[in-house]
Amino acid sequence: MFLVGPAGGLGFNGLNSRGIGACCNGMLQVSSSPTGLPVACVVRGILQQTTLEDAVSFVRKVPHASGQNYLVGSPEGIVNLECSAQGVAEIAPDNRLGALAHTNHPLRTDDLVTWYREALDADAPPASVVNSRSRLSSVQRQIGAMGKATVKGFQEILRSRDDPAHPICSAGLPGELYSEYGIMTFAATVMELSATPRLHVALGPPDRNPFHTLGF
């Protein structure tokens, strides 16, 4: 099992030897629960499964501590699940490649916290959501322009900085949103979910750090 996370973290993206992969995106705009299962434990639970059906069933049945989107895949396919303390909402692919894209705001669940509902009603989304929406639009545009899905193609998307204010690859450069807080892309991963699964990982912003390939 491979797990990727920030220094001191327990891992957020991962891949097992059966080709079960998981990556997640936090969503602060949906409900949380102090009695739910933490994200790192959910990811480990996914990677302990041997089929996509079992992995999806696990995500659906456990109580969730925080708002999180889980993209779960295997050689059988991919499933996108938005999770909150109140339940799970599935999002289907909506493009010709059968690809799914998600950033850090909810697309399907209606289990929204009060401050976010009020911001949407006032048509005044917070800066973090403006950033998330911009990154999602960029990813969707670039996926739409791909002739076919390739490892190199997805690596280039993760490296992209087409919107200087809201880059997909963030290195905390001067003028970038959140740069004053030191937030950056700590790693980037591309997974090949096949009979011989492989993980491609850049340890740091991928526009200046190479991808390394790991196999079982």
Side-chain angles (χ1 to χ4, degrees), residues 21-92:
C23 62
C24 53
N25 297 86
M27 300 182 297
L28 299 178
Q29 306 88 4
V30 304
S31 69
S32 59
S33 170
T35 60
L37 193 64
V39 173
C41 297
V42 176
V43 172
R44 277 170 165 69
I46 293 170
L47 299 181
Q48 289 175 348
Q49 310 307 315
T50 58
T51 68
L52 179 63
E53 180 180 4
D54 288 344
V56 171
S57 176
F58 173 81
V59 177
R60 287 188 175 279
K61 72 182 181 182
V62 298
H64 292 276
S66 59
Q68 197 77 198
N69 184 80
Y70 295 94
L71 187 59
V72 184
S74 80
E76 305 164 81
I78 54 173
V79 178
N80 192 92
L81 302 168
E82 282 190 349
C83 302
S84 73
Q86 300 301 315
V88 176
E90 182 173 344
I91 301 175

Side-chain angles (χ1 to χ4, degrees), residues 61-212:
K61 72 182 181 182
V62 298
H64 292 276
S66 59
Q68 197 77 198
N69 184 80
Y70 295 94
L71 187 59
V72 184
S74 80
E76 305 164 81
I78 54 173
V79 178
N80 192 92
L81 302 168
E82 282 190 349
C83 302
S84 73
Q86 300 301 315
V88 176
E90 182 173 344
I91 301 175
D94 61 355
N95 53 70
R96 61 183 176 78
L97 291 179
L100 288 157
H102 205 285
T103 48
N104 298 100
H105 67 283
L107 304 178
R108 181 63 53 83
T109 182
D110 58 2
D111 180 26
L112 308 178
V113 295
T114 300
W115 67 262
Y116 186 54
R117 287 187 184 276
E118 292 176 346
L120 292 180
D121 290 342
D123 194 25
S128 60
V129 172
V130 173
N131 174 268
S132 182
R133 289 176 176 176
S134 296
R135 288 184 286 111
L136 180 61
S137 294
S138 178
V139 172
Q140 291 173 330
R141 177 186 58 76
Q142 294 185 70
I143 288 175
M146 293 174 70
K148 63 178 181 178
T150 65
V151 169
K152 183 177 179 180
F154 286 112
Q155 288 176 343
E156 289 305 311
I157 290 175
L158 293 174
R159 290 188 178 109
S160 65
R161 301 173 55 83
D162 56 332
D163 184 340
H166 308 291
I168 293 172
C169 179
S170 175
L173 299 177
E176 286 185 356
L177 188 67
Y178 303 135
S179 61
E180 62 184 292
Y181 304 111
I183 292 177
M184 65 175 231
T185 302
F186 67 81
T189 58
V190 177
M191 304 175 196
E192 293 184 71
L193 308 180
S194 63
T196 54
R198 297 196 299 175
L199 174 69
H200 307 270
V201 56
L203 304 176
D207 66 337
R208 65 202 63 192
N209 292 280
F211 278 89
H212 303 275

